[in-house]
Amino acid sequence: MSVPLPSGADIARRRLHMIIAVDCSGSMQGDKIASLNHALRIAVPAMRESASENPETDVFVRALRFSDGAHWHVGPVLVDQFEWEDVTADGTTDMGHALK
């Protein structure tokens, strides 16, 4: 049951930040990094659909890539504007830096 709001009343919008941490170390070379890039590209439509089912929430996406250190790869960007940019694999696994 929905309750009508008084005239001029606004509902506060919620913000959801989705953070994707991506291992881009040398151990991910070949099929592993290709699979990761493919999976993230095909996940985008489902993420957008889920966000559209919750219009009271602004869904932001961030992607953190880590190998030799950690760096923001994407974001923050609204899921409707999010496009996955493929990553490559090289370096050592620096998950500790990513978690900091």
Side-chain angles (χ1 to χ4, degrees), residues 11 19 22-26 34 45-48 55-56 62 66-67 77 84-85 88-89:
I11 295 176
I19 300 173
V22 181
D23 181 358
C24 295
S25 66
M47 292 163 50
R48 289 182 181 152
E56 71 285 351
R62 298 171 183 237
F66 63 93
S67 59
V77 63
W84 180 250
E85 298 174 26
T88 57

Side-chain angles (χ1 to χ4, degrees), residues 32-42 84-88:
K32 291 179 186 177
I33 202 76
S35 293
L36 180 142
N37 284 318
H38 177 72
L40 283 165
R41 279 194 306 276
I42 65 171
W84 180 250
E85 298 174 26
D86 285 357
V87 293
T88 57

Side-chain angles (χ1 to χ4, degrees), residues 2-66:
S2 95
V3 178
L5 293 174
S7 177
D10 289 325
I11 295 176
R13 294 193 59 77
R14 291 181 274 174
R15 300 180 104 198
L16 172 68
H17 290 266
M18 181 183 320
I19 300 173
I20 303 166
V22 181
D23 181 358
C24 295
S25 66
S27 66
M28 292 291 291
Q29 287 183 358
D31 288 344
K32 291 179 186 177
I33 202 76
S35 293
L36 180 142
N37 284 318
H38 177 72
L40 283 165
R41 279 194 306 276
I42 65 171
V44 172
M47 292 163 50
R48 289 182 181 152
E49 182 180 343
S50 180
S52 72
E53 293 169 1
N54 296 282
E56 71 285 351
T57 304
D58 292 325
V59 179
F60 291 88
V61 180
R62 298 171 183 237
L64 180 70
R65 64 182 315 272
F66 63 93

